[in-house]
C-alpha cells in the first residue's frame, strides 16, 4: 500500500489543478536511488482537466496498491518511495521532485 496524504493547514480551501484524471503517482527506488517501479507506467488516465479541493483543516489521501506479481519481484530491494502530486496549485507549492519516505 502506497499513500500520499495532503493536509490543508490553512484557513482557506486549497485547490489542486490536474492536467488529466491522474492526481498522483508513486515511484519505488533501491538503495542507489535507481527507479525500480513507477505506479503510473501501465495506467491510462482520462484526458479532462480535473481538480482536487481540500477544505481548511481537512486532508485528502491518495493511495495505490502494488499487485502481488510486481511486489514479489521487488520484495527486499526497495529502500525508498517517492509520492508525487500530479498537478499544480496557486494555493501552495507542489514539489515537482515529489515527497520521499524511507522504507
Amino acid at each position: 500500500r502506497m499513500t500520499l496524504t495532503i493536509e490543508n493547514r490553512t484557513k482557506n480551501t486549497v485547490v489542486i489543478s490536474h492536467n488529466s484524471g491522474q492526481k498522483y503517482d508513486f515511484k519505488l527506488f533501491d538503495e542507489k536511488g535507481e527507479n525500480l517501479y513507477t505506479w503510473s507506467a501501465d495506467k491510462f488516465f482520462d484526458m479532462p482537466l480535473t481538480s482536487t479541493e481540500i477544505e481548511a483543516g481537512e486532508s485528502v489521501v491518495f493511495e495505490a496498491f502494488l499487485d502481488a506479481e510486481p511486489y514479489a519481484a521487488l520484495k527486499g530491494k526497495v529502500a525508498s518511495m517517492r509520492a508525487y502530486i500530479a498537478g499544480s496549485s496557486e494555493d501552495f507549492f507542489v514539489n515537482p521532485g515529489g515527497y520521499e519516505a524511507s522504507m
Side-chain angles (χ1 to χ4, degrees), residues 31-60:
E31 290 180 1
K32 296 178 183 178
E34 298 293 323
N35 185 9
L36 299 173
Y37 175 82
T38 301
W39 174 77
S40 65
D42 62 351
K43 310 281 187 283
F44 293 96
F45 300 96
D46 294 335
M47 291 307 293
L49 299 176
T50 60
S51 65
T52 299
E53 291 188 13
I54 309 168
E55 299 296 327
E58 298 293 321
S59 62
V60 64

Side-chain angles (χ1 to χ4, degrees), residues 4 6 16 18 20-25 39 45 50-53 60 62 84-87:
L4 169 62
I6 305 170
I16 303 170
H18 308 283
S20 71
Q22 182 181 9
K23 297 180 178 185
Y24 56 89
D25 204 356
W39 174 77
F45 300 96
T50 60
S51 65
T52 299
E53 291 188 13
V60 64
F62 297 126
Y84 299 86
I85 299 171

Side-chain angles (χ1 to χ4, degrees), residues 6-14 54-60:
I6 305 170
E7 297 178 5
N8 180 356
R9 297 180 183 169
T10 71
K11 295 180 180 182
N12 301 309
T13 299
V14 167
I54 309 168
E55 299 296 327
E58 298 293 321
S59 62
V60 64

Side-chain angles (χ1 to χ4, degrees), residues 12 26 31 36 56 68 75 78 90:
N12 301 309
F26 296 101
E31 290 180 1
L36 299 173
K75 187 176 180 180
V78 177
E90 294 182 10

Side-chain angles (χ1 to χ4, degrees), residues 68-86:
E69 188 176 322
Y71 174 75
L74 298 174
K75 187 176 180 180
K77 298 177 184 177
V78 177
S80 65
M81 178 190 81
R82 195 167 295 146
Y84 299 86
I85 299 171

